[in-house]
Amino acid sequence: MKIVSRIFGIIAIFFAILFCSMSIYRAGIDKDKAEAELTEAKQQIEQFREQAKTMTGETKAYLDGEIANAEKVINEAPKGSTYLIVQIFLGVLLVLSLAFGYFLFRPNLNTVTKFVAAAVIVTLIVYFASPDIARGKYSGLNSRTLALLSGIPVIVAGLFAFLAAKKAVVKVA
């Protein structure tokens, strides 16, 4: 059973490394896109404000309403620091998956138990910290879904490391 746990643990670690690295890369791309779109939107709002100064009547009221809606969207948009925090926690998940690879072959039940609990907590943090931006028809996975897909293989790898450590403790006793 220990060999089976190690084999499945290694497979889970490969998936964890793949999804964590994809998520880190995706968060970086999303950060760059968001910052570029925000600066462009702010420039457009300034242009609309200049145009609104010269207008009167219903057109001015309509333009002022659109400007207010655009400013609301800009203020609610995720900041670059949010993506940086998500990247840091995804890096922690990546390191935890590598640690589980170590613990598959050097079992330590107490440490593995603590690391599995840490992996669950970090997965929840990454999930809730990831911006929930609806994706278009062809734009790929939602950031929260990708964060969940990154955390689950890490937790599974931790569980297999836990099983390997549990078998090692039973064998010694």
Side-chain angles (χ1 to χ4, degrees):
M1 181 68 181
K2 197 159 94 172
I3 294 173
V4 173
S5 296
R6 287 179 178 165
I7 292 170
F8 284 119
I10 290 171
I11 292 169
I13 289 169
F14 283 137
F15 278 111
I17 290 171
L18 174 72
F19 280 114
C20 285
S21 57
M22 277 184 0
S23 296
I24 290 170
Y25 179 71
R26 168 73 177 275
I29 289 174
D30 286 348
K31 176 184 164 190
D32 294 339
K33 279 185 181 179
E35 288 175 351
E37 288 174 0
L38 284 176
T39 55
E40 183 180 326
K42 287 178 184 177
Q43 290 173 354
Q44 287 180 349
I45 286 175
E46 289 302 319
Q47 290 175 354
F48 287 144
R49 281 190 183 141
E50 293 298 320
Q51 289 176 0
K53 287 180 184 177
T54 61
M55 295 182 181
T56 58
E58 288 183 28
T59 310
K60 180 174 173 53
Y62 174 75
L63 218 61
D64 287 339
E66 290 298 314
I67 290 171
N69 287 339
E71 286 176 341
K72 181 181 170 190
V73 169
I74 286 174
N75 289 336
E76 292 175 357
K79 306 291 184 252
S81 61
T82 304
Y83 290 109
L84 181 63
I85 290 169
V86 168
Q87 284 179 317
I88 289 170
F89 280 114
L90 286 168
V92 170
L93 281 176
L94 188 66
V95 170
L96 281 173
S97 67
L98 295 174
F100 290 138
Y102 173 77
F103 288 124
L104 280 172
F105 297 100
R106 299 278 185 202
N108 185 342
L109 188 60
N110 292 333
T111 308
V112 169
T113 305
K114 291 175 186 174
F115 279 13
V116 169
V120 170
I121 291 169
V122 172
T123 299
L124 290 174
I125 289 171
V126 168
Y127 178 75
F128 288 114
S130 293
D132 191 19
I133 300 172
R135 297 291 171 192
K137 188 173 182 181
Y138 301 107
S139 64
L141 292 174
N142 188 335
S143 295
R144 283 194 170 178
T145 305
L146 196 56
L148 198 59
L149 287 174
S150 299
I152 289 174
V154 176
I155 295 169
V156 170
L159 293 176
F160 283 120
F162 178 78
L163 285 175
K166 192 95 167 159
K167 291 296 178 184
V169 170
V170 170
K171 196 174 195 181
V172 172

